[in-house]
Amino acid sequence: MSVDRSDSPRAHVVTSGNFAAVPQGFEGGEGSLRYVIKPEFQTVPAPGDPGRVLFAVPRGHALLDLAAVDLADLDRAALARDCELVAAAVRDHFDELVQVVAAFGPHGTTEQQAQALVIAERLGLTESAGAKAGGGLLGMVVIVGACLFASCFASCPPKKGETTPPDK
């Protein structure tokens, strides 16, 4: 599997779907942390029957909903353990981690995505495996996501330059 990209990075995502939590996918997650990652759900016409619609779940992006998190659900010890688990995987299995990321890239297939889950489970980097090892990974996503959002929004125009929606 090639992880090289000849195209430029994706600078935006156009969406017409809805983002909804799938908390049952994070059986080891604590409380509100199970609601932080929301995949997109789109309705698409059924092949051969345009009067019927199907749900599609694009796998190239998801919403990171930090506002869904109750900060009391963040656990310092679990976050520290997450850092240890991820650091060990990066040191010892970097090429396999790259395969996991590539599976959800522009040329990833459903087969590669299924293999990504196998790799993540073997490395103990699924949320449930992390929880069993004293971590959980969702808290790490919240902390890292918030820090990266801070970096991103530091480059955005100040609030006075934003447009206020007409219903406010």
Side-chain angles (χ1 to χ4, degrees):
M1 158 190 340
S2 171
V3 294
D4 297 331
R5 288 185 67 156
S6 59
D7 54 337
S8 55
R10 181 168 63 183
H12 68 283
V13 175
V14 176
T15 177
S16 61
N18 293 299
F19 293 83
V22 186
Q24 65 272 24
F26 302 107
E27 69 271 6
E30 294 297 323
S32 65
L33 295 179
R34 295 172 69 165
Y35 294 84
V36 70
I37 298 174
K38 294 177 170 68
E40 181 181 12
F41 291 86
Q42 296 177 338
T43 55
V44 294
D49 185 359
R52 207 168 51 94
V53 295
L54 303 173
F55 281 110
V57 182
R59 295 178 181 232
H61 58 276
L63 176 72
L64 181 59
D65 185 4
L66 297 179
V69 176
D70 178 349
L71 299 179
D73 292 334
L74 292 173
D75 178 283
R76 180 186 314 237
L79 285 163
R81 182 66 178 134
D82 288 339
C83 291
E84 294 166 358
L85 294 169
V86 171
V90 169
R91 275 192 309 271
D92 302 335
H93 304 283
F94 186 75
D95 291 340
E96 290 172 287
L97 292 176
V98 169
Q99 288 179 349
V100 171
V101 174
F104 296 93
H107 306 292
T109 65
T110 54
E111 292 81 15
Q112 290 169 330
Q113 292 164 3
Q115 182 61 28
L117 177 59
V118 170
I119 293 169
E121 286 176 335
R122 186 171 41 74
L123 298 180
L125 290 181
T126 61
E127 183 270 335
S128 60
K132 289 174 187 158
L137 299 178
L138 288 171
M140 178 181 256
V141 168
V142 170
I143 298 294
V144 171
C147 291
L148 292 176
F149 280 176
S151 299
C152 173
F153 293 133
S155 300
C156 290
K159 188 150 182 88
K160 64 182 178 189
E162 293 180 355
T163 303
T164 303
D167 62 342
K168 298 290 177 196

